Amino acid sequence: MVIILKQNAKQEEISELLQWIRAQNVDPQSIEGESQHILGLVGNTHAIDIDAITTFPAVENVRRIAEPYKKANRKFHHHDTIVDVAGYKIGGGNFQVIAGPCSVESEQQVISIAQSVKQSGAHLLRGGAFKPRTSPYAFQGLKDEGIKYLIQAKKQTGMPIVSELMSMEHIDLFNDVDVIQVGARNMQNFVMLRELGACNKPILLKRGLANTLEEFLMSAEYIMAGGNSNVILCERGIRSFDHATRNVLDLSAVPVLKRLTHLPIIIDPSHATGKAELVESMSLAAVAAGADGLIIEVHNNPKAALCDGAQSLDFPMFAKLMHKVDVLKKCVDSLKD
Amino acid sequence: MVIILKQNAKQEEISELLQWIRAQNVDPQSIEGESQHILGLVGNTHAIDIDAITTFPAVENVRRIAEPYKKANRKFHHHDTIVDVAGYKIGGGNFQVIAGPCSVESEQQVISIAQSVKQSGAHLLRGGAFKPRTSPYAFQGLKDEGIKYLIQAKKQTGMPIVSELMSMEHIDLFNDVDVIQVGARNMQNFVMLRELGACNKPILLKRGLANTLEEFLMSAEYIMAGGNSNVILCERGIRSFDHATRNVLDLSAVPVLKRLTHLPIIIDPSHATGKAELVESMSLAAVAAGADGLIIEVHNNPKAALCDGAQSLDFPMFAKLMHKVDVLKKCVDSLKD
Amino acid sequence: MVIILKQNAKQEEISELLQWIRAQNVDPQSIEGESQHILGLVGNTHAIDIDAITTFPAVENVRRIAEPYKKANRKFHHHDTIVDVAGYKIGGGNFQVIAGPCSVESEQQVISIAQSVKQSGAHLLRGGAFKPRTSPYAFQGLKDEGIKYLIQAKKQTGMPIVSELMSMEHIDLFNDVDVIQVGARNMQNFVMLRELGACNKPILLKRGLANTLEEFLMSAEYIMAGGNSNVILCERGIRSFDHATRNVLDLSAVPVLKRLTHLPIIIDPSHATGKAELVESMSLAAVAAGADGLIIEVHNNPKAALCDGAQSLDFPMFAKLMHKVDVLKKCVDSLKD
Amino acid sequence: MVIILKQNAKQEEISELLQWIRAQNVDPQSIEGESQHILGLVGNTHAIDIDAITTFPAVENVRRIAEPYKKANRKFHHHDTIVDVAGYKIGGGNFQVIAGPCSVESEQQVISIAQSVKQSGAHLLRGGAFKPRTSPYAFQGLKDEGIKYLIQAKKQTGMPIVSELMSMEHIDLFNDVDVIQVGARNMQNFVMLRELGACNKPILLKRGLANTLEEFLMSAEYIMAGGNSNVILCERGIRSFDHATRNVLDLSAVPVLKRLTHLPIIIDPSHATGKAELVESMSLAAVAAGADGLIIEVHNNPKAALCDGAQSLDFPMFAKLMHKVDVLKKCVDSLKD
């Protein structure tokens, strides 16, 4: 942590600050230039509140230098985390495609989609039972019925299932769900994150619409601080001024996160773009960028989907996509340094 | 709702679409130009899923024309909603200042702050017991103890209290809290919004960091759809590319929301700017813009605050601010058309 | 400037860096903690390229601490700059309203608008002769004719005139223009800024749509570096994800800029909001926030305006606004510390 | 164009509007629902000013339906435009890599870089002679000397050259430059765009930092409206709230632009990310997304670069990248539908 002192700070103001810093068991080292005086804080500065420092009259500005996350930090965990979902591995060179409908609509629907996406090569099934919808008047998901149908599909196909948890009050319904998804709007629902840290299931954590990568990793840290290290990060598009696509897919998050953290990173091109016709090119781009997986919406009949039909692939589109992803992934792997 | 058809849409594709629209009990009216063919949907289009329409091959684009919110919509409720908090009114010309510490730190602290801000003219007391913090390692609030201390302060001063609810599992602790605050990060925690619709307490709903005004009103609609119309909207700064202030205070939200909705709108200059020295000018600007109130962080000793000290006013700063707000409000009121 | 070294930096890599730094005549002071090693650079670091430093293998990160602007920096020029426009002063407590049509349409039009806004109390006349339009097919302004009509209006009313320069090739036409406006889209047209530094006219510099306050001040610095200190800053709204208003008016820029720079700051509520009905409340908010002036679009017949009619006030609206601004300004002045 | 009328619009207000619309030689067709009345405008609505319409008292809102660009619009020009640069084709399946230093520093430097990137497989040479720099105190490029050195490099290697024009006053120096680059900060320098429409050289048009794809295409339209159809679009990152990378590379712009326009689209991963270590993965992602080319900064000695060293590849990094791009491009081509 570096503190920049005000040009005209008085000696007693500086002394007051130094005394406070030392009371935090941290050693302030001084660097004085002609027109500037800065303090470098050496020691364990994690517990120090930046805001508290800025209230001292001597202080002009404070900059944190160390990343505020530890368990998620690659600096302290050099090897890639590999998350194991019922035998399917994600991360550390292992790539998975998760596919399925935005929302579960019937037992038959989800089973037929599961069978189709499995045949096309997807190993994990996604499906929403509890749906976060902007409007209170929109379809909100089949809830516990939806979870049951997903479990039926899992039984029929052997595919592990991924579904979104919208509130801890539903957690008991998720016993047979293999991966709990935390949606973008709950990325900073800290009570939920903390409680998920106490469960031992893999968590698929989606980046919030307007959250920085550092905040994203801090939310992963919340889960990991509770003892659950099975966190899969998912970039799904961020907000921008341009509404040509629903969100802007931030693909450079892949190589950046690969440097900052050891956790696996997957891409959701369906929610990022909001348009089925853009999913293929963004999926291929994600593979080339080095993502550890994809999560893709597939529907038996997108026209009749109760939710997000516009971004869902139909079966032939998905089969074609899986073929291309497969070929491209092999090519990308062959290019690894 | 207006549907723009593709230039080269085939007749059978258009027929398929028209048939589907009529099956929704909506009447599609056709406007054909030289190079464009559009359909205007007349009737109750609220239940129609825009996404579903875009999946039809004949469709190039769809635009919603009516606002998707009803109960929050001024078109259907012309008069200002006045929220009554234990006798203190907000909205419809009634202006209130809510003041207090970011987080409750001790009984004595919150009582002394309450007494001071009351003396300066604030009528409602704010204080955080459950604190949403980006880092799992930061101070998370005194929780149930904090609520108890707030209630003590209420008893001692007679000030109604405002506190943030982070999870419905804590709701029973809020029986004596007068206004439940939904924080920016929970603005789209739809399960919580729906459940708060069933309680009859005033809700202070903060705008999410990157949410549009329409989404903001849709979240109010969630609460109102459950039967609770006592919603106070709060603008507290939005994310931008510039980090000169913590967020960008979107003051034009005040006159825009005044047109779109009948709900009261208050401003939080403390969180918007993140800097105590900017709170006064933004408070005065909010009054001039027509806000129905302010919520301001005040601390007995900002330097020692456990949270957000940098943005907290001390007692003399707050007293001075209240004097200015008071004088300015009278001037602004005298200028009303 | 502070350099954070990589945890695993080798001694020879650090030596290479230290050698390079000393070759820039800057003294690197070392602060070593348990898990971190940082260098504080003392001396004149303005000439040092941050990018160059990050290419050294020993370097993890670099942070600039000093502001990169000097002439615009309040630290080095404590007193407010007062810009004098033909006897009308802006800044240092002097407040001015600049009013007029988005674009000059005819001699008669601009004269009648000038007479009306003067009667309502505006002292400076704005009018666009060269219009930056997103579409090549839209009305681009009357160009040299427009400038002539403005000069006629100046002669008839005595009001100094403000007009936008879109290219240095038109500069000769601006001899009798009192204030040259640099539009938001040209805020980083560095060739133009540099050349305007050589003229001695006041420059009204508009903030770019997505430029930080630091970049804004660096553009002012370009002009000032050439010897022209008569720069008036103008905040006119920034881009955001929400399109409820055309742009988001960043009013907290006023108190922030007041701290960072000694230059006057005015507000353009017309372009910021894009809607005439929002101009009044944002003008009053700007006054309360401490702005040094306003620039407002006024049109004799907004319905028939060739450009930006939706945001133009008509004469009665402007007269009413001026009355309110006048009353409010007196109130705000009476509240000064 | 669709006009939504106010619920309570009076009959004479509607008549006034209808009369005005008909005076524009456009036919307003009426669609009346229970709670809404909309007008669809049929005919040539390009000349109609949306702003003018919103000033009518009867009007609540107006939405444009047709894209405002014509010459750049794929609807009216179905086939891909192929830009020919001295025999090297870009677009329509033709892929090119443009490489070279951010800024030309000496004749020897640019020639050695040209030889190296040519050997690695790049066909076009980029190099900045006029450099847009945020600070007036930073290195501004070698200007006319720089152009001379580029031309020398072209003579020596046969590579066509690409260089940025910052002002039309320098245009005479660009006679032997093969592609004129318009930088992001000049994307809406409409005077320059218009004048470049009159030249017959290929123009590399970079997307502005905060410009929508529609605005991007309108700027291309400016050039094309003047008669020059040789426009190459270049996405180079947009502004966001997250500063983990310099900008956010908007790769979905590639498939979106491919649908909207027939012009070629290339990607600049160097400026988008600002970091050399991210260039490779973003280059590969761009290839997979379907881009028509890349423009990449390469420097003989990034550490000593006078500008943007942090984002420049050295020779071995570039050679490795070209090999990977080459292999991946063949794979992607083999997957085309």
Side-chain angles (χ1 to χ4, degrees):
Chain A
M1 198 176 283
V2 171
I3 301 175
I4 300 105
L5 299 182
K6 282 189 186 143
Q7 255 189 324
N8 54 358
K10 293 175 198 146
Q11 198 47 55
E12 65 263 28
E13 291 171 343
I14 298 176
S15 301
E16 177 199 16
L17 173 67
L18 291 173
Q19 200 176 343
W20 183 88
I21 291 170
R22 290 193 187 104
Q24 318 290 318
N25 289 317
V26 166
D27 178 26
Q29 297 197 8
S30 200
I31 298 178
E32 279 188 70
E34 290 149 53
S35 65
Q36 263 182 336
H37 185 172
I38 66 179
L39 299 175
L41 303 200
V42 170
N44 183 1
T45 60
H46 271 90
I48 293 191
D49 189 357
I50 270 197
D51 279 332
I53 294 176
T54 61
T55 63
F56 282 84
V59 174
E60 179 168 316
N61 214 331
V62 193
R63 311 261 169 119
R64 193 178 278 288
I65 278 164
E67 295 88 4
Y69 45 90
K70 285 180 159 177
K71 291 180 186 291
N73 198 329
R74 190 179 281 276
K75 274 186 194 157
F76 308 119
H77 306 260
H78 298 295
H79 296 295
D80 286 348
T81 285
I82 298 173
V83 176
D84 187 310
V85 181
Y88 295 103
K89 292 183 165 62
I90 304 180
N94 302 283
F95 183 90
Q96 296 296 343
V97 176
I98 307 168
C102 177
S103 71
V104 175
E105 295 171 17
S106 73
E107 186 172 331
Q108 192 204 340
Q109 174 235 27
V110 69
I111 291 175
S112 75
I113 294 176
Q115 287 167 335
S116 177
V117 298
K118 185 183 181 182
Q119 200 176 350
S120 295
H123 287 152
L124 290 88
L125 177 66
R126 61 147 289 152
F130 295 89
K131 297 300 307 171
R133 301 301 298 271
T134 308
S135 168
Y137 311 121
F139 173 62
Q140 310 272 326
L142 293 184
K143 301 176 183 172
D144 48 349
E145 282 299 299
I147 298 286
K148 270 192 230 162
Y149 299 157
L150 278 170
I151 293 170
Q152 273 309 111
K154 176 182 173 178
K155 281 190 187 146
Q156 298 259 342
T157 61
M159 298 176 85
I161 52 179
V162 181
S163 199
E164 179 169 350
L165 178 72
M166 278 182 66
S167 171
M168 288 310 291
E169 56 192 82
H170 308 137
I171 188 75
D172 290 344
L173 296 167
F174 283 68
N175 284 335
D176 293 322
V177 171
D178 299 277
V179 178
I180 293 177
Q181 179 179 314
V182 176
R185 287 169 190 79
N186 275 319
M187 193 202 91
Q188 293 194 317
N189 183 334
F190 300 119
V191 174
M192 183 190 272
L193 296 177
R194 191 174 289 279
E195 296 183 9
L196 290 175
C199 87
N200 59 2
K201 269 189 207 302
I203 308 295
L204 177 60
L205 179 66
K206 291 198 152 188
R207 181 180 182 187
L209 278 162
N211 287 109
T212 63
L213 295 180
E214 186 173 297
E215 290 169 339
F216 193 15
L217 291 175
M218 287 308 286
S219 288
E221 187 85 8
Y222 255 94
I223 299 169
M224 299 172 87
N228 185 353
S229 297
N230 292 309
V231 179
I232 304 160
L233 303 172
C234 179
E235 156 65 25
R236 40 79 75 216
I238 53 174
R239 283 249 150 129
S240 95
F241 53 86
D242 195 357
H243 298 179
T245 45
R246 186 192 285 171
N247 302 289
V248 169
L249 180 60
D250 177 14
L251 265 187
S252 56
V254 174
V256 173
L257 286 171
K258 287 282 175 202
R259 276 162 179 76
L260 298 177
T261 187
H262 49 93
L263 297 172
I265 301 116
I266 70 170
I267 295 292
D268 177 347
S270 306
H271 283 88
T273 63
K275 292 181 181 169
E277 70 264 30
L278 303 176
V279 167
E280 183 183 294
S281 71
M282 286 303 99
S283 296
L284 298 179
V287 169
D292 297 303
L294 296 167
I295 178 163
I296 291 176
E297 295 206 349
V298 180
H299 196 278
N300 48 322
N301 181 9
K303 234 186 295 308
L306 294 179
C307 163
D308 279 348
Q311 71 195 34
S312 293
L313 304 189
D314 61 18
F315 293 165
M317 287 169 85
F318 182 68
K320 196 180 70 171
L321 170 65
M322 283 301 286
H323 166 68
K324 293 190 180 184
V325 163
D326 196 49
V327 173
L328 193 78
K329 185 70 176 79
K330 288 198 183 83
C331 175
V332 168
D333 283 347
S334 77
L335 294 172
K336 273 200 184 138
D337 296 323
Chain B
M1 198 176 284
V2 171
I3 302 174
I4 301 105
L5 299 182
K6 282 189 186 142
Q7 256 190 323
N8 55 357
K10 292 176 200 147
Q11 198 48 53
E12 65 264 29
E13 292 172 342
I14 298 175
S15 303
E16 176 199 18
L17 173 66
L18 291 173
Q19 201 178 341
W20 183 88
I21 292 170
R22 290 193 187 104
Q24 318 290 317
N25 287 317
V26 166
D27 177 25
Q29 296 197 9
S30 200
I31 299 178
E32 278 189 71
E34 290 148 53
S35 64
Q36 263 183 335
H37 186 172
I38 66 180
L39 299 176
L41 303 201
V42 171
N44 183 1
T45 59
H46 271 90
I48 293 191
D49 189 357
I50 270 197
D51 279 333
I53 293 176
T54 61
T55 62
F56 282 85
V59 174
E60 179 167 316
N61 214 332
V62 193
R63 311 258 170 123
R64 194 179 278 286
I65 278 164
E67 296 89 4
Y69 45 90
K70 285 181 161 178
K71 291 180 186 290
N73 197 330
R74 191 180 279 277
K75 273 186 195 158
F76 307 120
H77 307 260
H78 298 294
H79 296 296
D80 286 348
T81 285
I82 298 173
V83 176
D84 187 310
V85 182
Y88 296 103
K89 293 184 165 61
I90 304 180
N94 302 284
F95 182 91
Q96 297 296 344
V97 176
I98 307 169
C102 177
S103 72
V104 175
E105 295 171 18
S106 73
E107 185 171 331
Q108 192 205 339
Q109 174 236 24
V110 69
I111 290 175
S112 75
I113 294 176
Q115 287 168 335
S116 176
V117 299
K118 186 183 179 183
Q119 200 176 351
S120 295
H123 288 152
L124 290 88
L125 176 68
R126 62 147 290 151
F130 296 90
K131 298 301 306 171
R133 301 300 299 270
T134 308
S135 167
Y137 311 122
F139 173 62
Q140 311 271 326
L142 293 183
K143 301 176 184 174
D144 47 349
E145 283 298 299
I147 298 286
K148 271 192 230 162
Y149 300 156
L150 279 170
I151 293 170
Q152 273 308 113
K154 176 182 173 178
K155 280 189 189 147
Q156 298 259 341
T157 61
M159 298 177 83
I161 51 180
V162 181
S163 199
E164 178 169 351
L165 178 73
M166 278 182 65
S167 171
M168 287 311 290
E169 56 192 81
H170 308 138
I171 188 74
D172 290 344
L173 296 167
F174 282 67
N175 284 335
D176 294 321
V177 171
D178 299 277
V179 178
I180 293 177
Q181 179 179 313
V182 176
R185 288 169 188 78
N186 275 319
M187 194 203 89
Q188 294 194 318
N189 183 334
F190 300 120
V191 174
M192 182 190 272
L193 296 178
R194 190 175 288 280
E195 296 184 8
L196 289 176
C199 86
N200 59 1
K201 268 189 209 300
I203 308 296
L204 177 60
L205 179 67
K206 291 197 151 188
R207 181 181 181 185
L209 278 161
N211 286 110
T212 63
L213 295 181
E214 185 171 298
E215 290 168 339
F216 193 15
L217 290 175
M218 288 308 285
S219 287
E221 187 84 7
Y222 256 95
I223 299 169
M224 298 172 87
N228 184 353
S229 297
N230 292 308
V231 179
I232 304 160
L233 303 171
C234 179
E235 155 66 25
R236 41 77 75 216
I238 54 175
R239 283 250 150 127
S240 95
F241 53 85
D242 195 357
H243 299 180
T245 45
R246 188 192 286 170
N247 302 289
V248 170
L249 180 60
D250 178 13
L251 265 188
S252 56
V254 174
V256 172
L257 286 171
K258 287 281 173 201
R259 275 161 181 75
L260 298 177
T261 187
H262 49 91
L263 297 171
I265 301 115
I266 70 170
I267 296 292
D268 178 347
S270 307
H271 283 88
T273 63
K275 291 180 182 170
E277 70 264 29
L278 303 176
V279 168
E280 183 183 294
S281 71
M282 286 303 98
S283 295
L284 298 179
V287 169
D292 297 305
L294 296 167
I295 178 164
I296 292 178
E297 296 205 349
V298 180
H299 196 277
N300 48 322
N301 181 8
K303 235 186 296 307
L306 294 178
C307 163
D308 279 348
Q311 71 196 35
S312 293
L313 304 189
D314 60 19
F315 294 164
M317 287 170 86
F318 182 68
K320 197 180 69 172
L321 170 66
M322 284 301 286
H323 166 67
K324 293 190 179 183
V325 162
D326 196 49
V327 173
L328 194 77
K329 185 72 177 77
K330 288 198 184 85
C331 175
V332 168
D333 284 346
S334 76
L335 294 172
K336 271 199 186 141
D337 297 323
Chain C
M1 199 176 285
V2 171
I3 301 174
I4 300 106
L5 299 183
K6 281 189 187 142
Q7 255 189 323
N8 55 359
K10 292 176 199 145
Q11 198 47 55
E12 65 263 30
E13 292 172 343
I14 298 175
S15 302
E16 177 199 17
L17 174 66
L18 291 173
Q19 201 177 341
W20 183 87
I21 291 169
R22 291 193 187 104
Q24 318 291 317
N25 287 318
V26 165
D27 178 23
Q29 297 197 8
S30 200
I31 298 178
E32 278 189 71
E34 291 150 51
S35 64
Q36 262 182 337
H37 187 172
I38 66 180
L39 299 176
L41 303 201
V42 171
N44 183 2
T45 60
H46 271 91
I48 293 191
D49 189 356
I50 270 198
D51 279 334
I53 293 176
T54 62
T55 62
F56 282 84
V59 174
E60 179 168 316
N61 214 331
V62 193
R63 312 258 169 123
R64 192 179 280 285
I65 279 164
E67 296 89 3
Y69 45 91
K70 285 181 161 178
K71 291 179 187 291
N73 198 330
R74 191 179 280 274
K75 273 187 196 157
F76 308 120
H77 306 261
H78 299 294
H79 296 296
D80 286 348
T81 284
I82 298 173
V83 176
D84 187 310
V85 181
Y88 296 103
K89 292 183 164 62
I90 304 180
N94 303 284
F95 183 90
Q96 297 295 344
V97 176
I98 307 168
C102 176
S103 72
V104 175
E105 296 171 16
S106 73
E107 185 171 331
Q108 192 204 341
Q109 174 236 23
V110 70
I111 291 175
S112 75
I113 294 176
Q115 287 168 333
S116 176
V117 299
K118 186 183 179 184
Q119 199 176 352
S120 296
H123 289 151
L124 289 88
L125 176 68
R126 60 147 290 152
F130 295 89
K131 298 300 306 171
R133 302 301 299 271
T134 308
S135 167
Y137 310 121
F139 173 62
Q140 312 272 325
L142 293 183
K143 300 176 183 173
D144 48 348
E145 283 299 300
I147 298 286
K148 270 192 230 162
Y149 300 156
L150 279 170
I151 294 169
Q152 274 308 112
K154 176 182 172 177
K155 280 189 189 147
Q156 298 259 340
T157 61
M159 297 177 84
I161 51 179
V162 180
S163 200
E164 179 169 350
L165 178 73
M166 279 183 64
S167 170
M168 288 310 291
E169 56 193 81
H170 308 137
I171 189 73
D172 290 344
L173 297 166
F174 282 69
N175 284 335
D176 294 320
V177 171
D178 299 277
V179 178
I180 293 178
Q181 179 178 314
V182 176
R185 288 169 188 77
N186 274 321
M187 193 203 89
Q188 292 194 319
N189 183 335
F190 300 119
V191 174
M192 183 190 273
L193 296 177
R194 190 175 289 280
E195 296 183 10
L196 290 175
C199 87
N200 59 1
K201 268 188 209 302
I203 307 295
L204 178 59
L205 179 66
K206 291 198 153 189
R207 181 180 180 185
L209 278 162
N211 287 109
T212 62
L213 295 180
E214 186 172 298
E215 289 168 340
F216 193 16
L217 291 175
M218 287 308 286
S219 287
E221 187 85 6
Y222 255 95
I223 298 168
M224 298 172 87
N228 184 354
S229 298
N230 292 308
V231 179
I232 303 160
L233 303 172
C234 179
E235 155 66 26
R236 40 78 74 217
I238 54 175
R239 283 249 151 128
S240 94
F241 53 86
D242 195 357
H243 298 179
T245 45
R246 187 192 286 170
N247 302 290
V248 169
L249 180 60
D250 178 12
L251 265 188
S252 56
V254 174
V256 172
L257 287 171
K258 286 282 173 200
R259 275 162 181 75
L260 298 176
T261 187
H262 49 92
L263 298 171
I265 302 116
I266 70 170
I267 295 292
D268 178 347
S270 307
H271 283 88
T273 63
K275 291 179 182 171
E277 69 264 30
L278 303 176
V279 168
E280 183 184 293
S281 70
M282 287 302 99
S283 296
L284 298 180
V287 169
D292 297 305
L294 296 167
I295 178 164
I296 292 177
E297 296 204 349
V298 180
H299 196 275
N300 48 321
N301 181 8
K303 237 187 294 306
L306 294 178
C307 162
D308 280 347
Q311 72 196 35
S312 293
L313 303 189
D314 60 18
F315 294 164
M317 287 170 84
F318 182 68
K320 196 180 69 169
L321 171 66
M322 284 301 285
H323 166 67
K324 294 189 179 185
V325 163
D326 196 48
V327 173
L328 194 78
K329 186 71 177 78
K330 287 198 183 85
C331 175
V332 168
D333 283 347
S334 76
L335 295 172
K336 273 201 185 138
D337 296 323
Chain D
M1 198 176 286
V2 170
I3 301 175
I4 300 106
L5 299 182
K6 282 189 186 142
Q7 256 189 322
N8 55 358
K10 294 180 197 140
Q11 197 47 54
E12 66 263 29
E13 291 171 344
I14 298 176
S15 301
E16 177 200 16
L17 173 67
L18 290 173
Q19 201 177 341
W20 183 88
I21 291 169
R22 290 193 187 103
Q24 318 291 316
N25 288 318
V26 166
D27 178 24
Q29 296 197 9
S30 200
I31 298 178
E32 279 188 69
E34 292 149 50
S35 64
Q36 263 183 335
H37 186 171
I38 66 179
L39 299 176
L41 304 201
V42 171
N44 184 2
T45 60
H46 272 89
I48 293 190
D49 189 356
I50 270 198
D51 279 333
I53 293 176
T54 62
T55 62
F56 282 85
V59 174
E60 179 168 317
N61 215 331
V62 193
R63 312 260 169 122
R64 191 178 281 286
I65 279 164
E67 295 89 4
Y69 45 90
K70 286 180 160 176
K71 290 181 187 291
N73 198 329
R74 191 178 281 275
K75 275 187 193 157
F76 308 119
H77 305 260
H78 298 294
H79 296 296
D80 286 348
T81 284
I82 298 172
V83 176
D84 187 310
V85 181
Y88 296 103
K89 292 183 165 62
I90 304 180
N94 302 284
F95 183 92
Q96 296 296 343
V97 176
I98 307 168
C102 177
S103 73
V104 174
E105 296 171 16
S106 73
E107 185 171 331
Q108 192 203 341
Q109 174 236 26
V110 69
I111 290 175
S112 75
I113 295 175
Q115 287 167 335
S116 176
V117 299
K118 185 183 181 183
Q119 199 176 352
S120 296
H123 288 151
L124 290 87
L125 177 67
R126 61 147 289 151
F130 295 89
K131 297 301 306 170
R133 301 302 298 271
T134 308
S135 168
Y137 310 121
F139 174 62
Q140 311 272 326
L142 293 184
K143 300 175 183 174
D144 49 348
E145 282 299 298
I147 297 286
K148 270 193 230 163
Y149 300 156
L150 279 170
I151 293 169
Q152 273 309 111
K154 176 181 173 178
K155 280 191 188 145
Q156 298 259 342
T157 61
M159 298 176 85
I161 53 180
V162 181
S163 199
E164 179 169 351
L165 178 73
M166 278 182 65
S167 170
M168 287 310 292
E169 56 192 83
H170 309 137
I171 188 73
D172 290 343
L173 297 167
F174 283 67
N175 284 336
D176 293 321
V177 171
D178 299 276
V179 178
I180 294 177
Q181 179 178 314
V182 176
R185 287 168 189 78
N186 275 319
M187 193 203 91
Q188 293 195 316
N189 183 334
F190 300 120
V191 174
M192 183 190 273
L193 296 177
R194 190 174 289 281
E195 295 183 10
L196 290 175
C199 87
N200 60 0
K201 268 188 208 302
I203 307 297
L204 178 59
L205 179 66
K206 291 198 152 189
R207 181 181 181 185
L209 278 162
N211 286 110
T212 63
L213 295 181
E214 186 173 297
E215 289 169 340
F216 193 16
L217 291 174
M218 287 308 287
S219 287
E221 187 85 8
Y222 255 94
I223 299 169
M224 298 172 86
N228 184 354
S229 298
N230 292 309
V231 179
I232 304 161
L233 303 172
C234 179
E235 155 65 26
R236 40 79 73 216
I238 54 175
R239 283 248 151 130
S240 95
F241 53 86
D242 196 357
H243 299 179
T245 45
R246 186 192 287 171
N247 302 289
V248 169
L249 180 61
D250 178 12
L251 266 187
S252 56
V254 174
V256 172
L257 287 171
K258 287 281 174 202
R259 275 162 179 75
L260 298 177
T261 186
H262 49 91
L263 298 172
I265 301 116
I266 71 170
I267 295 292
D268 177 348
S270 306
H271 283 88
T273 63
K275 291 179 181 171
E277 69 264 30
L278 303 176
V279 167
E280 183 184 293
S281 70
M282 287 302 98
S283 296
L284 298 179
V287 169
D292 297 304
L294 295 167
I295 178 163
I296 291 178
E297 295 204 349
V298 180
H299 196 278
N300 48 322
N301 181 9
K303 235 186 296 308
L306 294 179
C307 163
D308 279 347
Q311 71 195 36
S312 293
L313 304 189
D314 60 18
F315 294 164
M317 287 170 84
F318 182 68
K320 196 181 68 171
L321 170 67
M322 283 302 285
H323 166 68
K324 294 189 179 184
V325 163
D326 196 48
V327 173
L328 194 78
K329 186 71 177 79
K330 288 199 182 83
C331 175
V332 168
D333 283 347
S334 77
L335 294 172
K336 274 202 184 135
D337 297 322

